[in-house]
Amino acid sequence: MKFPNVRRVLAALLLSMLLLVTACQTQASSRFDEVQAISSQQKSGQAVAKDATQGGSFNQFFPKASRGYERVFTQEKKGFAEAKLKKDGKDLALMAISDTRSLPTAAAKFKNATKQIAGYPALEIGSTQTAVLVADRYQVKVLSRDPSFTASDREALLKQFDYQGLAKLQ
Amino acid sequence: MSKPIQKLVDDLPTNNLTVSMLRSLDFVIPGQWQNITGFENTIRVVTGETDEDLIQQIGERAIYLYNDRSQGYQRAMWLYQTVDSTDVALGTAALANKVGERIPLLGFLNRLTPKADKAQTIDLSLKLVAELVAFCYINGIPGDSIGDFVASLADYSGESLMRMVALVCVDGLIPLGPDFILKAQSVLNNTSPNELEKNVTFQRISDAIPGVTSLNKLLFINESFDSVKGWMSGLVSSRDLTPQKVVNNLRQAIEVTDDKLDYLAAFLDVATNYYEHTGTQTLARRLIERAVAEI
């Protein structure tokens, strides 16, 4: 006589636990739900502008490797190029050039820049990044990938890009 | 529609047979691979950023990039998933009551058929070609750049390096033996376009392999294998890898006797999805690296 009761209680308990668990999961993933819905409406062309500069044409403006440092190109997509700075096999930093035509907010954030590097508006972002905006269009970033690579190292590396060449691209 | 990237990364298991198998291969590249799971967590680990607003921006940009099909990321994901798609039912059965424990292989023997050398060789070389093509899709290099791919193998690290180590160990050394490179090459040389067309994985990923005819594609597969064999034999000799060593380490995850290596290969093939698992991790990392540099 007792068993059906136990079963019923157990079923109710399990059901409420299931509801609780699924409710928590939905909440946890909601932070990116909106952008997922918007960005999946259009299948192609929403992330990179049609007239964005080809990543391959950025490569020549990166600093050359020197004094034991190695430069390894890693990504080359439309509107974007990226290389690693390595020493003794260790990743020290990432260097990137991107065309803000695809992402105007990336250029807009420089309006508040109070700093300059090589004559161009510059920003420190978060704890690992320093960025420069060239010709109101191309964003050049250096990102630390090792704690030993500090903000002043980032700034020194940023000074070695060929900004004059890059500015002439557009 | 296929799963969103953030869901794919959130759903990566923290502990299953694939993860145990990869952990047991740590001896080849000590400390190189961590099983990074969860989309937000991956953003934190890859970028080192802790600011919530920045993490949100990085995640959103990564999602936009992934969902833009012209960028090739979804196609790379599909390739990683497809070369790995096997009979997961057996793997699920293996895990049903065994999570965190060693899995005895004997119980599954009667449900397994080891593959012939030819099928195993085609699988190994198709996985290699999938890696090459996915690498090109992800990094934006033309789809037939064997040279660029081989050069970048030297810079492979983390989950990408672990995927290649697992390929050499699990799809090379265990099923084909210590001289698997020579064996696979000789089998490939004796494979006809007709035989290739009969392979199920080839049928599914054929469109992604450069070349118009099956013969062209077979030549591309041969050329890819030939270009990567130096890297593979370098890995085998520098780490002094043998089937015996690999099996000894896999014993942490699976109970196996040495005369059952064919069955072990077949079991790992159906019960694990290391290409998809580490491929998802590679893709997430590259997307996040690009996103953080662009925002």
Side-chain angles (χ1 to χ4, degrees):
Chain A
M1 280 300 281
K2 267 186 182 171
F3 285 114
N5 271 340
V6 172
R7 255 192 232 161
R8 224 173 283 155
V9 171
L10 199 68
L13 201 71
L14 283 175
L15 195 68
S16 43
M17 272 182 72
L18 187 75
L19 282 171
L20 191 74
V21 168
T22 39
C24 287
Q25 276 175 344
T26 320
Q27 211 171 17
S29 62
S30 68
R31 131 178 228 186
F32 296 111
D33 283 354
E34 196 186 333
V35 73
Q36 173 62 30
I38 299 168
S39 71
S40 52
Q41 278 167 5
Q42 192 185 334
K43 283 182 178 165
S44 175
Q46 75 271 44
V48 178
K50 268 195 186 132
D51 61 347
T53 307
Q54 291 296 337
S57 44
F58 294 143
N59 292 349
Q60 55 184 314
F61 308 121
F62 281 76
K64 309 262 179 297
S66 66
R67 287 174 290 132
Y69 289 93
E70 222 186 312
R71 182 189 66 180
V72 183
F73 283 102
T74 53
Q75 291 195 65
E76 186 187 303
K77 308 279 268 194
K78 192 175 182 184
F80 181 72
E82 185 185 63
K84 281 181 188 175
L85 181 76
K86 296 180 74 156
K87 195 173 192 186
D88 303 324
K90 196 159 75 169
D91 294 354
L92 294 182
L94 283 178
M95 305 178 269
I97 300 178
S98 59
D99 187 345
T100 60
R101 282 277 159 90
S102 304
L103 195 65
T105 50
K109 69 177 180 286
F110 285 91
K111 282 193 182 120
N112 309 321
T114 50
K115 195 175 162 154
Q116 287 206 328
I117 292 176
Y120 293 98
L123 284 174
E124 295 254 345
I125 305 157
S127 51
T128 62
Q129 317 172 34
T130 309
V132 169
L133 186 69
V134 179
D136 290 325
R137 176 168 181 181
Y138 297 116
Q139 178 172 225
V140 182
K141 262 194 189 182
V142 170
L143 304 102
S144 299
R145 282 295 170 265
D146 189 90
S148 70
F149 204 83
T150 61
S152 59
D153 292 328
R154 294 200 294 269
E155 202 171 323
L157 188 58
L158 274 170
K159 285 180 181 154
Q160 295 175 41
F161 280 79
D162 175 7
Y163 294 111
Q164 282 186 340
L166 184 60
K168 279 186 205 140
L169 251 192
Q170 63 171 352
Chain B
M1 204 198 106
S2 51
K3 265 194 195 178
I5 183 66
Q6 66 275 25
K7 183 94 177 98
L8 287 171
V9 184
D10 281 341
D11 288 350
L12 283 173
T14 52
N15 191 18
N16 69 353
L17 190 62
T18 301
V19 175
S20 310
M21 180 191 88
L22 293 174
R23 285 202 178 114
S24 66
L25 293 175
D26 180 74
F27 79 99
V28 184
I29 45 167
Q32 273 265 3
W33 177 72
Q34 273 89 40
N35 187 36
I36 301 166
T37 62
F39 189 59
E40 283 181 48
N41 181 45
T42 307
I43 295 175
R44 286 174 217 272
V45 174
V46 169
T47 66
E49 295 292 353
T50 49
D51 181 272
E52 286 302 319
D53 184 46
L54 263 184
I55 288 169
Q56 184 71 25
Q57 287 182 50
I58 296 164
E60 290 187 357
R61 181 65 184 156
I63 289 168
Y64 265 106
L65 288 167
Y66 182 76
N67 287 342
D68 189 334
R69 292 201 184 164
S70 69
Q71 295 302 296
Y73 297 112
Q74 289 192 29
R75 199 148 167 78
M77 190 67 242
W78 173 82
L79 266 178
Y80 283 131
Q81 290 168 338
T82 306
V83 290
D84 226 358
S85 57
T86 42
D87 179 12
V88 288
L90 188 63
T92 314
L95 284 170
N97 51 358
K98 287 287 176 189
V99 175
E101 277 178 51
R102 292 208 302 169
I103 293 161
L105 184 57
L106 285 172
F108 293 95
L109 285 187
N110 56 354
R111 296 155 72 183
L112 291 169
T113 318
K115 280 185 196 157
D117 280 2
K118 185 158 267 178
Q120 193 63 57
T121 298
I122 294 176
D123 258 23
L124 168 70
S125 41
L126 284 179
K127 276 188 176 157
L128 255 186
V129 168
E131 178 71 24
L132 194 161
V133 175
F135 172 87
C136 296
Y137 284 149
I138 293 174
N139 300 306
I141 294 159
D144 53 358
S145 310
I146 294 180
D148 286 328
F149 171 69
V150 173
S152 71
L153 265 177
D155 192 50
Y156 260 37
S157 61
E159 70 289 323
S160 302
L161 184 58
M162 181 48 99
R163 184 168 54 255
M164 295 303 283
V165 164
L167 180 73
V168 165
C169 293
V170 172
D171 286 293
L173 283 167
I174 293 181
L176 294 167
D179 56 350
F180 78 97
I181 294 172
L182 284 173
K183 204 175 196 175
Q185 228 176 356
S186 118
V187 171
L188 268 184
N189 285 332
N190 290 303
T191 300
S192 68
N194 222 333
E195 285 171 299
L196 184 64
E197 283 167 9
K198 286 182 190 138
N199 180 284
V200 181
T201 310
F202 177 76
Q203 289 165 9
R204 295 187 65 189
I205 69 162
S206 163
D207 283 351
I209 301 174
V212 179
T213 63
S214 296
L215 176 62
N216 295 148
K217 291 175 196 288
L218 179 60
L219 291 173
F220 183 82
I221 294 170
N222 263 295
E223 201 188 334
S224 306
F225 193 88
D226 201 50
S227 315
V228 182
K229 73 175 185 199
W231 183 88
M232 291 194 291
S233 63
L235 181 80
V236 170
S237 61
S238 67
R239 266 72 172 188
D240 197 19
L241 292 179
T242 59
Q244 189 59 52
K245 249 190 198 173
V246 174
V247 171
N248 281 345
N249 282 277
L250 280 177
R251 283 209 173 95
Q252 296 161 19
I254 300 151
E255 282 176 32
V256 59
T257 48
D258 295 340
D259 57 339
K260 298 282 189 265
L261 290 195
D262 283 0
Y263 285 94
L264 175 61
F267 175 73
L268 292 175
D269 204 28
V270 297
T272 67
N273 63 339
Y274 75 88
Y275 241 70
E276 180 179 359
H277 187 99
T278 59
T280 306
Q281 291 175 327
T282 296
L283 192 64
R285 181 182 285 275
R286 310 304 276 154
L287 275 172
I288 289 165
E289 279 178 352
R290 178 172 172 189
V292 69
E294 283 190 343
I295 60 162

